[in-house]
Amino acid sequence: MPNSENTILSVNNLKVHFPSKRKFGQPKRWIRAVDGIDFDVQEGETLGLVGESGCGKSTTARAILNLIHRAKVEGTIHLNGTRIDNLSDRAMIPHRLTAQMVFQDPFASLNPRMMVGNIIREPMGNYKLFGDETGRRLEVIRLLELVGINPQYMNRYPHEFSGGQRQRIGIARALAVQPKLIVCDEAVSALDVSIQAQVINLLMDLQQKLGVSYVFIAHDLAVVRHIAHRVGVMYLGKIVELADSKELYDSPQHPYTTALLSAAPVPDPTVDVRANRITLTGEVPSPDIEYVGCSFAARCPQVLGHCASTMPQLSTTDHQVSCLLYEDDNIDKSDPPKSNSAEVVV
Amino acid sequence: MVQPILQVKNLEVEFVTDDGIVRAVNDISFDLYPGETLGIVGESGSGKSVANLTILGLIPQPPGHVKGGEVLFAEQDLLKLSQRQFRTIRGKRIAMIFQDPMTALNPFLTIQDQLIEVSMLHLGHTRAAAIQHAVELLELVGIPAAASRITEYPHQFSGGMRQRVMIAMALSCEPDILIADEPTTALDVTIQAQILDLLKAMQDKRGMAIIFITHDLGVVASICDRVLVMYGGRKVEQTDTKTLFAAARHPYTLGLLHSAPRWDQPQLTRLQSIEGQPPDMMNLPAGCAFAPRCQWKTDECLAAVPELVSIGSEFSEGSHVFACIHADQIQQAGSTSREELPHA
C-alpha cells in the first residue's frame, strides 16, 4: 500500500518464482528468483539495488514493470497509487506512461532498422502525445538536445553511434512519454569509465530538471553509491539490508554487505584493500531451495548456532537489516554454530 | 640488471576494411620483466587487446596486418615465426586468459578434454598423467571436488568457476608470461577478489610475469606494479602504479582517474567526466588523438603527435613516460584537484 502521496512505487512482499524444468520422476521445483521483498520509491528519489549475479535484481526490475510472464508472482506492486501487478498486458498500457525502462545493452535494445528519431518518436505516437507529428518531431529534437545528441543525427541508424551515444538514445526513448519512474537495469555497466561518468551525470541532471525517480540496478558498488539516495543489497532473492546510501557504505551492518564492500576494489593504490578483505567461502547456493533460516548462514563469517533454523526479518528502522545479530530479543550472540550449514525445506 | 623477458618494439598493427584502414596499434613499445604485473589500461577500441593478440600471433591476417615492429622473446622475434613454430611457445611459455569465460570454452567438450590437451601437447604427458595434472590444477584454482567435476561440461559450471578453469588451462604449462585480457570483468566482486588473489599467489610462487589488460582502475590499483595507458592505439603514459595515481601527466589518464566513482568516499555532486567521444580509429587526427576532448589543448597539440618524453630510468622509482606537451600543467591540476576532493 502506498504510504504517502509522494510515493511513486511501492513493492510489498514481492515474490517471483520461475518453474524449473522437471526432471523425470522428480517433483516440480521453483526457482525462487525474488523471494519476498519490500521497498518503495519516492518522487525524485533514486533507489539503488546491488547484489551479485543471480540475486534477483533484474527479475525485480522486470516485475516492477509487470513484464514477467510464465512465473508465479505474489505480493503487490503499486505504481503511482494504482495496483498494477494483477493487470493484463492490455490493461497495463496506460500505466507504461508512468514507468519506463533503460536496458543494459545499448547494442541490443535499439531496433537496428529504425532511425533514432523514429525510435524516440514511436512511444509518443503510441500514446498520441504532443498533438500531431510536427509536435512530436519538435519533442524528439528537444529530447535529443536534452541527452546531448546533435538533433541533426535524428535520421541516422543506431549502428552509426557509439555505445555511450546509444545509451543516451535509450534514455531519450524512456523519457519520451514523460514518465515519473525510470528503471535502469545495469544501464551504465557496458560503458567505458569516461563515458560511464557522462551518462551518470546525465541521469543525475535529468533527475534535477524533471524530478524523475529511478530504480537503479547495478553490480558496481561505486556507481550505485554515486547515484543513489538509498541502496538495497540483495542476496538470493531477498533484500538483506536497505539504508541511506552514505549510511550503508560507511557503516554496513549485514555480514554479506560487509563482505561485498570489502571485496570491491578501490582505485587508489595507497588503500590496502586486501588487508581488510573478508573472503566468503563457497558460491551462491542454488535459488531453488527454500530455507528455514537465513540463506546466507552457510557462507557467513559471523554465523550463530540458530541462524540456520531462524529466519531473520528485515527490521523496520531507518537502516533496515535482516540479520539475527541485530534482532533485539534475547539471542545468545556467543552461541557457536553446530555446523556451518543451512537447514532447508525441500 | 634484470633483463626483460619480453620486449615489444615499435609495434604497428592495422586492419584493412571495406571502409578504410583502421590503425589499431601505432608504435607501441614496452618491456616486461620477470615477476612483475604490467597493467594495460584504455578505452574499448584503444588497441590494448589487439596489441596483446599480436604478441601471441592471434591476429587474423587478413584483415589484420602487422605493419612493423618487433616482439622479442627468448632471443627471437615472435612476429617472424611460422604458425608451426609459434605453437611451441603459445600456451606453453606465453599463455592467455580470455575475457569471456562463457564463450572461450568449447561447450561440446568436457572440462577434462579441454584441460588435458594442453599438457599432452606441450609437456608430452600420457592421458592418465595429464588427467592427474589437470585435477591438481583445478584444485589449485579452488574448484571443489575437482576429481569428480572434471568430467562435467562447461555449462555445468558457474561463471566464476569457468573463469578458474580458463586460469587453470593457462597455468597448465607454468608459462613465463601470462596475458590476462579483462579476466575479471564479467565476474562479481567477491569472485573477482578471489581470482586476483589467486593470480598474485601463482605469480609469487612461479615468478611469472603478467600483462593485465583492464579498464577497471580499482583492479589496476590492487594488482599492477606498472601501468601503460593507451589511447587511440598509442602509448600515452607509462609509469609505476603509485606514480600514476598520484601524479598523472597525461590528460586522458587524469580524466580517467577523475571519472571513476569510488564507493569508499562520500559522493560528489557530479563526476568529472571526459567530454566527447573516443577517436574514430579510421580517421585519427594529425595531432594528439586526445586533443578534441582535452581542456588543455593548444594549436601545437593539433599540429603533430606529441613525442613520448621519459623522466627517470626505467628501473628507478618514479620513472615516467608520457606523451603530452602540457604534462607539467596537468600534473599540477591533478594535485590541486586532489586536495579539493573531500576525504572520508
Side-chain angles (χ1 to χ4, degrees):
Chain A
M1 57 189 164
N3 48 16
S4 88
E5 271 186 17
N6 295 331
T7 307
I8 290 293
L9 175 74
S10 172
V11 174
N12 277 290
N13 198 23
L14 176 71
K15 292 183 181 176
V16 184
H17 295 178
F18 294 99
S20 76
K21 239 184 241 166
R22 194 199 305 231
K23 284 179 192 152
F24 185 70
Q26 283 181 358
K28 192 169 192 174
R29 300 189 76 100
W30 293 92
I31 307 290
R32 311 168 76 88
V34 176
D35 205 15
I37 60 170
D38 300 82
F39 62 86
D40 48 27
V41 180
Q42 308 299 319
E43 215 164 274
E45 183 195 39
T46 302
L47 176 79
L49 285 180
V50 294
E52 296 183 278
S53 35
C55 72
K57 318 182 287 275
S58 290
T59 306
T60 306
R62 289 168 54 216
I64 292 169
L65 298 175
N66 207 352
L67 290 171
I68 302 272
H69 297 99
R70 289 188 286 280
K72 200 164 71 181
V73 182
E74 286 172 26
T76 60
I77 300 164
H78 285 84
L79 190 61
N80 211 14
T82 318
R83 185 170 170 186
I84 57 148
D85 54 275
N86 48 5
L87 297 183
S88 66
D89 283 354
R90 181 170 285 274
M92 193 57 208
I93 289 172
H95 299 286
R96 303 227 178 272
L97 282 168
T98 313
Q100 285 286 317
M101 187 153 179
V102 176
F103 299 89
Q104 171 169 13
D105 186 346
F107 295 86
S109 59
L110 301 177
N111 185 339
R113 291 163 184 268
M114 280 173 83
M115 291 185 283
V116 299
N118 293 341
I119 289 175
I120 299 167
R121 188 159 50 201
E122 191 179 35
M124 302 175 191
N126 290 344
Y127 289 98
K128 310 261 184 308
L129 302 176
F130 308 107
D132 54 4
E133 279 304 309
T134 327
R136 290 196 266 276
R137 201 184 155 77
L138 287 174
E139 180 64 13
V140 168
I141 292 171
R142 196 185 69 84
L143 280 173
L144 281 172
E145 272 170 358
L146 191 65
V147 298
I149 302 269
N150 187 341
Q152 287 179 345
Y153 297 161
M154 65 190 282
N155 292 334
R156 292 193 180 185
Y157 289 90
H159 74 263
E160 296 176 81
F161 294 90
S162 68
Q165 289 173 317
R166 275 186 239 206
Q167 207 57 312
R168 289 167 187 267
I169 293 163
I171 293 168
R173 175 179 59 186
L175 289 170
V177 297
Q178 305 189 313
K180 293 192 162 173
L181 172 74
I182 296 181
V183 178
C184 304
D185 185 8
E186 301 275 8
V188 297
S189 317
L191 307 174
D192 278 313
V193 185
S194 71
I195 306 297
Q196 178 177 293
Q198 291 177 4
V199 175
I200 293 169
N201 283 342
L202 172 67
L203 288 169
M204 291 170 81
D205 290 348
L206 291 173
Q207 184 166 58
Q208 229 159 39
K209 276 186 214 157
L210 312 170
V212 61
S213 308
Y214 297 119
V215 173
F216 193 91
I217 292 165
H219 68 275
D220 187 324
L221 296 158
V223 168
V224 171
R225 168 160 203 174
H226 194 83
I227 198 167
H229 300 102
R230 285 187 304 141
V231 177
V233 180
M234 288 186 73
Y235 183 78
L236 267 189
K238 290 199 166 69
I239 291 182
V240 295
E241 187 162 3
L242 178 67
D244 178 70
S245 171
K246 182 172 163 37
E247 171 75 18
L248 185 105
Y249 282 87
D250 289 349
S251 40
Q253 294 188 348
H254 198 283
Y256 177 65
T257 314
T258 319
L260 197 62
L261 285 175
S262 80
V266 175
D268 183 348
T270 57
V271 178
D272 186 7
V273 194
R274 211 165 271 138
N276 307 316
R277 169 116 28 96
I278 301 160
T279 310
L280 292 179
T281 50
E283 305 241 338
V284 181
S286 161
D288 64 357
I289 300 166
E290 186 178 355
Y291 289 90
V292 183
C294 175
S295 54
F296 186 58
R299 300 174 75 197
C300 181
Q302 289 167 267
V303 67
L304 305 173
H306 47 269
C307 281
S309 53
T310 317
M311 178 73 77
Q313 299 299 320
L314 196 62
S315 59
T316 47
T317 44
D318 275 353
H319 188 143
Q320 294 174 273
V321 59
S322 156
C323 180
L324 292 183
L325 288 169
Y326 301 94
E327 282 192 8
D328 245 350
D329 42 22
N330 301 320
I331 282 173
D332 179 8
K333 299 209 167 139
S334 59
D335 177 19
K338 278 137 211 134
S339 73
N340 199 348
S341 66
E343 287 175 30
V344 298
V345 182
V346 179
Chain B
M1 185 176 279
V2 192
Q3 286 302 311
I5 187 162
L6 181 81
Q7 286 182 291
V8 175
K9 287 183 179 170
N10 308 97
L11 189 66
E12 288 189 39
V13 185
E14 50 183 41
F15 289 87
V16 182
T17 70
D18 291 343
D19 301 321
I21 292 169
V22 179
R23 304 190 58 197
V25 175
N26 288 311
D27 198 16
I28 290 283
S29 304
F30 64 86
D31 292 347
L32 182 71
Y33 294 92
E36 77 162 346
T37 303
L38 174 72
I40 300 190
V41 181
E43 279 174 319
S44 352
S46 63
K48 51 193 197 303
S49 291
V50 172
N52 285 285
L53 288 173
T54 310
I55 294 172
L56 276 177
L58 290 175
I59 290 293
Q61 306 194 29
H65 168 56
V66 180
K67 211 176 141 199
E70 287 179 316
V71 178
L72 298 177
F73 173 75
E75 292 166 2
Q76 49 189 340
D77 182 1
L78 295 186
L79 298 178
K80 294 204 172 75
L81 296 187
S82 68
Q83 282 299 332
R84 180 183 290 272
Q85 288 169 309
F86 224 128
R87 265 178 242 137
T88 63
I89 290 176
R90 193 194 296 136
K92 187 177 186 188
R93 304 199 58 191
I94 308 180
M96 180 148 185
I97 306 173
F98 295 93
Q99 175 172 6
D100 189 354
M102 309 297 164
T103 54
L105 293 171
N106 186 334
F108 292 104
L109 296 178
T110 61
I111 299 297
Q112 173 175 300
D113 288 339
Q114 302 188 49
L115 267 175
I116 61 173
E117 191 187 0
V118 196
S119 57
M120 285 172 75
L121 181 71
H122 289 305
L123 306 179
H125 281 166
T126 60
R127 191 178 161 83
I131 292 174
Q132 180 60 34
H133 183 58
V135 171
E136 282 164 15
L137 282 167
L138 289 183
E139 279 166 357
L140 191 72
V141 297
I143 302 243
S148 62
R149 295 212 65 177
I150 193 166
T151 51
E152 292 183 1
Y153 287 88
H155 75 269
Q156 290 166 293
F157 280 56
S158 69
M161 306 248 275
R162 270 183 262 193
Q163 193 58 282
R164 281 183 237 191
V165 171
M166 294 283 300
I167 293 173
M169 199 181 285
L171 297 175
S172 187
C173 301
E174 308 202 353
D176 300 318
I177 300 172
L178 180 68
I179 301 178
D181 188 357
E182 310 234 10
T184 58
T185 306
L187 303 177
D188 288 315
V189 282
T190 51
I191 311 289
Q192 169 173 286
Q194 290 174 24
I195 302 263
L196 295 183
D197 284 353
L198 176 70
L199 286 177
K200 203 87 198 145
M202 296 286 133
Q203 185 176 44
D204 291 346
K205 218 155 119 195
R206 294 160 197 229
M208 156 179 88
I210 302 180
I211 299 180
F212 202 102
I213 307 171
T214 181
H215 63 260
D216 186 332
L217 292 166
V219 173
V220 171
S222 61
I223 193 166
C224 296
D225 302 309
R226 292 190 304 143
V227 190
L228 189 161
V229 184
M230 284 184 73
Y231 191 82
R234 286 180 190 278
K235 170 157 106 177
V236 294
E237 186 157 11
Q238 181 178 0
T239 182
D240 60 281
T241 307
K242 279 210 174 96
T243 310
L244 188 90
F245 280 83
R249 281 168 178 267
H250 193 279
Y252 172 65
T253 316
L254 190 65
L256 265 190
L257 294 174
H258 282 165
S259 53
R262 294 180 61 154
W263 66 265
D264 63 331
Q265 284 185 2
Q267 62 173 9
L268 312 162
T269 44
R270 278 177 72 91
L271 290 168
Q272 301 180 32
S273 64
I274 307 175
E275 294 308 318
Q277 300 296 325
D280 176 0
M281 299 297 284
M282 237 173 268
N283 295 305
L284 283 175
C288 173
F290 188 68
R293 302 173 76 183
C294 182
Q295 61 182 105
W296 288 277
K297 70 159 177 277
T298 55
D299 291 343
E300 274 175 279
C301 303
L302 304 172
V305 176
E307 303 255 322
L308 279 168
V309 181
S310 65
I311 46 176
S313 84
E314 196 157 5
F315 294 99
S316 67
E317 184 82 4
S319 85
H320 205 144
V321 180
F322 47 88
C324 179
I325 47 181
H326 305 297
D328 290 339
Q329 222 177 319
I330 281 141
Q331 194 196 2
Q332 200 88 50
S335 55
T336 41
S337 73
R338 234 183 317 279
E339 281 158 21
E340 285 162 13
L341 283 178
H343 280 281

